[in-house]
Amino acid sequence: MGIAAEGFEDHPVAIVGGGIAGLTAALAFAERGLPVRIFERAPELHEIGAGLQISPNATRILDRLGVIEALDGRYAIPEAVTIRDAISLKVIAEVRLGAFGQERWGAPYLVAARGALQSALLKRVAQEPLITLTTGAEVSDFDVETDNGIPQLAIRENEGERTVPTRLIVGADGVWSTIRDHGGPEGQTRPIGTVAWRATLAPQEGAAFRRIAPDDRVTTFASPKFHAVAYPLGDGSLNIVIVTSGTLSRTGWVREGDPVLLAKLIDGAHPAIAELAALVPNWTMWPLHIASPNCGWTHPNGLALIGDAAHAMAPFAAQGAAMAIEDSFVLVKLVAENALPEALARYVALRRPRIRRVGLRGGLNQFAWHARGPVAIARNLFLKTRSPEKLAADLDWLYGWQVDESIR
Ligand SMILES: Cc1cc2nc3c(=O)[nH]c(=O)nc-3n(C[C@H](O)[C@H](O)[C@H](O)COP(=O)(O)OP(=O)(O)OC[C@H]3O[C@@H](n4cnc5c(N)ncnc54)[C@H](O)[C@@H]3O)c2cc1C
């Protein structure tokens, strides 16, 4: 069935949320010649948040959509991902990236400030006449079972409420999604009892960091009580995230993390890690929540969830944003090439196994990084026998993923 027959021209796609998922999906729809509207609750999209590792499976798509060029060099290409023991600082394992990764997976592994990626996506969105982005527009309700068969959104703006009919609602509204409500009880998110503390270290603190690891790569410091991940952001500064046990009564980024509490939570780490943590003037905290990937992601009348709205995951595989980017691209390709109900059914059938596999990989990383005693010894011995080639090959299914090969 052609796209015109589906009614997309009369009732364009409506994307709820202007995060990484929503903006990528809008660019992918525009690439297919489909008009699309984005409704974003925030009055403005600021350059906020931490750093992001963007693996080749995602940079391949971003490159195709012109986003890598729009980043205008505001990123770094790390030489490797290294895992070190957070107590002894000894190297446990290393996966080569840089030119090796680019060659192996056909696209670069980048690290960038989240704000830099958001700006590049917005720059590209602004260049596309088929995309309309409305900020300060909160989707307060939706209906996929209307009398005329056309789904609709209720949108709350400064001027009041309005109803928007659309052939397809794309729920890209993040971990606390309104659109996920249609997925029933499985759609609830839950805290996992861990908190991510993040900070950016200014370039002048680079010397303190280089006492614990080279600053040209992503380094994970593993310990039974916590793990920390640090990497360069391309402008001389370093992004550092420390994941500890804990809960917060609020959701979203919470400013002013207590450094005394953090020092207690990472007690026992190598003194240079503790000293580095003490140098940070402001820690921001984020309580980790996940959404079961089993909730209903679609409704055949015209609804699909993408990104964290569908399957918010813990960041142990550094793949949440990458999966949001993959979801967007797969969904748009299927919608553009198939009748809508078939496209939505295939979207779920294709994405669910991959999301589950990524979730398992994240769980394995979490287990390995937080191992203690004999399990940690066994982990170290196992990784010692693994050649760099084998460690890279273990990631081919993840980083070497290609959209066209995934849809057959
Ligand atoms: C500490 C940490 C480190 C991470 N590191 C990595 C990493 O290295 N690599 C990686 O790939 N991923 C990483 N992730 C995961 C990644 O950040 C997320 O998966 C990704 O940002 C999800 O994007 P999204 O667009 O789905 O959701 P969001 O970024 O949450 O965007 C949702 C948007 O929807 C808007 N919205 C919400 N409700 C409404 C509504 N009712 N109406 C209108 N608009 C609405 C919000 O304002 C927001 O702009 C990390 C996550 C954390 C917490």
Side-chain angles (χ1 to χ4, degrees), residues 17 20-21 40-41 52-53 114 139 172-173 178 286 308 318 320-322:
I20 293 168
E40 165 57 48
R41 176 168 60 191
L52 275 180
Q53 301 176 58
R114 183 182 294 263
V139 172
D173 50 343
T178 300
W286 173 274
D308 278 9

Side-chain angles (χ1 to χ4, degrees), residues 16-23 39-42 45 50-55 109 114 118 137-140 172-179 196-198 231 241 243 253 286-288 306-309 312-315 317-324:
V16 184
I20 293 168
L23 297 174
F39 298 101
E40 165 57 48
R41 176 168 60 191
L45 288 168
L52 275 180
Q53 301 176 58
I54 319 170
S55 50
Y109 193 111
R114 183 182 294 263
Q118 179 102 342
E138 178 171 18
V139 172
S140 54
D173 50 343
V175 55
W176 294 287
S177 165
T178 300
I179 307 300
W197 302 63
R198 71 150 288 265
Y231 48 86
V241 176
V243 178
W253 289 112
W286 173 274
L288 296 179
I306 58 174
D308 278 9
M313 52 180 72
Q319 281 295 313
M323 289 304 113

Side-chain angles (χ1 to χ4, degrees), residues 48-50 176 194-199 247-259 261 281-289:
I48 47 153
W176 294 287
T194 46
V195 172
W197 302 63
R198 71 150 288 265
T247 51
L248 294 175
S249 54
R250 281 157 60 195
T251 54
W253 289 112
V254 178
R255 306 221 173 263
E256 292 158 14
D258 177 1
L261 173 62
N282 294 307
W283 285 100
T284 310
M285 297 182 295
W286 173 274
L288 296 179
H289 282 63

Side-chain angles (χ1 to χ4, degrees), residues 201-213 215 236 238 276 279:
L201 287 175
Q204 61 269 25
E205 272 138 26
F209 182 80
R210 285 188 292 274
R211 286 174 53 210
I212 55 174
D215 61 2
L238 279 159
L276 187 77
L279 280 177

Side-chain angles (χ1 to χ4, degrees), residues 152-391:
Q152 59 186 35
L153 294 174
I155 298 185
R156 202 181 289 144
E157 289 163 310
N158 264 347
E159 305 76 49
E161 290 226 352
R162 65 180 161 127
T163 303
V164 172
T166 170
R167 194 62 204 88
L168 176 64
I169 298 171
V170 178
D173 50 343
V175 55
W176 294 287
S177 165
T178 300
I179 307 300
R180 197 194 302 115
D181 279 354
H182 99 106
E186 283 273 26
Q188 303 291 319
T189 50
R190 60 179 179 86
I192 56 166
T194 46
V195 172
W197 302 63
R198 71 150 288 265
T200 304
L201 287 175
Q204 61 269 25
E205 272 138 26
F209 182 80
R210 285 188 292 274
R211 286 174 53 210
I212 55 174
D215 61 2
D216 63 348
R217 60 201 58 215
V218 177
T219 304
T220 299
F221 300 92
S223 95
K225 283 167 62 178
F226 74 93
H227 77 266
V229 184
Y231 48 86
L233 286 176
D235 58 0
S237 64
L238 279 159
N239 180 70
I240 177 156
V241 176
I242 302 184
V243 178
T244 65
S245 58
T247 51
L248 294 175
S249 54
R250 281 157 60 195
T251 54
W253 289 112
V254 178
R255 306 221 173 263
E256 292 158 14
D258 177 1
V260 178
L261 173 62
L262 180 62
K264 273 194 201 140
L265 291 166
I266 65 169
D267 185 33
H270 190 279
I273 295 184
E275 282 161 28
L276 187 77
L279 280 177
V280 171
N282 294 307
W283 285 100
T284 310
M285 297 182 295
W286 173 274
L288 296 179
H289 282 63
I290 58 167
S292 162
N294 300 327
C295 84
W297 288 357
T298 57
H299 190 291
N301 289 359
L303 180 145
L305 297 177
I306 58 174
D308 278 9
H311 46 64
M313 52 180 72
F316 302 117
Q319 281 295 313
M323 289 304 113
I325 291 165
E326 284 188 11
D327 287 348
S328 307
F329 210 71
V330 170
L331 176 71
V332 173
K333 183 171 166 63
L334 290 169
V335 167
E337 295 175 3
N338 300 277
L340 191 55
E342 187 195 337
L344 297 175
R346 288 192 66 199
Y347 168 69
V348 175
L350 283 168
R351 296 302 295 159
R352 231 195 269 284
R354 181 156 169 88
I355 297 296
R356 286 205 182 113
R357 192 169 178 192
V358 170
L360 288 176
R361 173 77 200 198
L364 183 69
N365 286 353
Q366 183 185 16
F367 175 75
W369 296 343
H370 295 181
R372 62 172 75 229
V375 180
I377 294 169
R379 170 200 67 195
N380 296 353
L381 284 173
F382 171 76
L383 288 170
K384 225 178 181 167
T385 59
R386 216 94 176 135
S387 66
E389 168 63 27
K390 187 71 190 108
L391 285 172

